Amino acid sequence: MRKIRRRAIRTLASVGIALMLAACGFSPTGSPWDTKLDPSAQAVVIFGVSAQNNPTVGTLSVGWAKFDPATREISPSRGFSWWYTVNPIDPGAAREVQHVVFVAEPGHYILSHARIDEPNFIGGAINTAFFKGLMPHLAQSSRGTSFAVDRASAGGLTTTARVAEGSTAPRFALEAGETVYVGTYSIDFRAQPFRLVGTGRDDAAARAELAQYPFGGRAIVWREARAP
């Protein structure tokens, strides 16, 4: 009976953690009804992502970082990222474009990274950081690509990282009060390193996603994100 009880507890814990991770794929900015906007100091960004050749398990992320065009310094903590936990039952769902909405500071942003966290054990996408102290062999393997940063000179995405000279990573500017749609981005997660393989635009999908938010009636400005 004790073995059965322990097994049930472990199963429930695993399912609960997996569900928390899965939520990342559906609401990167939290619940639409509790997202607040100050038009005098913030802007709204809409973009879409599709994951090509993604793994059958793992958590994907594609992010934008704020940067200073004059100094090229990047502030990754002031950007925003799309997160998606792949469903092992239907891993191909990640190939469908998913639009997301973020409230962001005014400024300049650059496509900074694509990343995947893959469990290195059989059993699905469980947040193994929860078990890291007790069961280190369950630690996730992580790998990713920096689209914007010159790793050789900057050492990765840190507070002192800079946009590499000649970087072709897409970028765009935001002004306070704007609602900007910057298009869709298709990432190949099997390439080494990961590659941006296509961009697109779907205004209807962007409007539908924005409509879920309290500020959903705002006019959307199309702004293509591209290298200078």
Side-chain angles (χ1 to χ4, degrees):
M1 181 63 72
R2 288 181 180 176
K3 288 183 179 179
I4 293 174
R5 188 181 297 118
R6 284 198 297 269
R7 188 179 301 117
I9 291 171
R10 285 197 300 268
T11 301
L12 288 172
S14 298
V15 169
I17 295 168
L19 287 173
M20 285 189 292
L21 269 175
C24 295
F26 298 99
S27 187
T29 56
S31 301
W33 49 85
D34 65 14
T35 301
K36 296 178 174 59
L37 170 68
D38 177 0
S40 66
Q42 296 174 311
V44 177
V45 184
I46 310 165
F47 71 99
V49 180
S50 65
Q52 305 302 313
N53 300 317
N54 58 284
T56 56
V57 294
T59 300
L60 313 177
S61 131
V62 176
W64 299 81
K66 193 172 183 183
F67 78 104
D68 183 336
T71 63
R72 296 188 290 115
E73 285 194 7
I74 294 178
S75 303
S77 63
R78 300 174 72 184
F80 43 87
S81 296
W82 165 90
W83 293 86
Y84 183 82
T85 297
V86 179
N87 182 346
I89 298 174
D90 185 16
R95 290 195 294 269
E96 300 176 4
V97 176
Q98 301 173 45
H99 280 80
V100 287
V101 175
F102 290 91
V103 173
E105 300 176 354
H108 294 261
Y109 292 85
I110 189 165
L111 188 65
S112 58
H113 74 274
R115 177 184 173 90
I116 179 170
D117 292 294
E118 294 178 288
N120 59 7
F121 66 99
I122 299 174
I126 297 174
N127 184 358
T128 54
F130 181 82
F131 300 103
K132 209 167 191 179
L134 298 176
M135 307 172 74
H137 64 284
L138 294 182
Q140 288 179 324
S141 59
S142 302
R143 54 195 176 92
T145 292
S146 170
F147 293 116
V149 179
D150 181 353
R151 287 185 178 275
S153 62
L157 282 175
T158 67
T159 53
T160 57
R162 286 182 170 80
V163 174
E165 290 191 36
S167 169
T168 59
R171 61 202 73 186
F172 64 91
L174 279 178
E175 294 184 9
E178 290 188 310
T179 298
V180 176
Y181 175 43
V182 296
T184 63
Y185 301 83
S186 179
I187 308 295
D188 185 342
F189 279 91
R190 289 294 184 196
Q192 295 295 328
F194 302 155
R195 292 188 304 123
L196 174 63
V197 294
T199 59
R201 177 179 177 179
D202 187 337
D203 292 4
R207 285 194 297 270
E209 186 64 29
L210 181 66
Q212 300 182 57
Y213 290 78
F215 42 80
R218 298 167 61 84
I220 299 175
V221 176
W222 160 251
R223 184 163 300 152
E224 183 179 7
R226 57 186 177 183

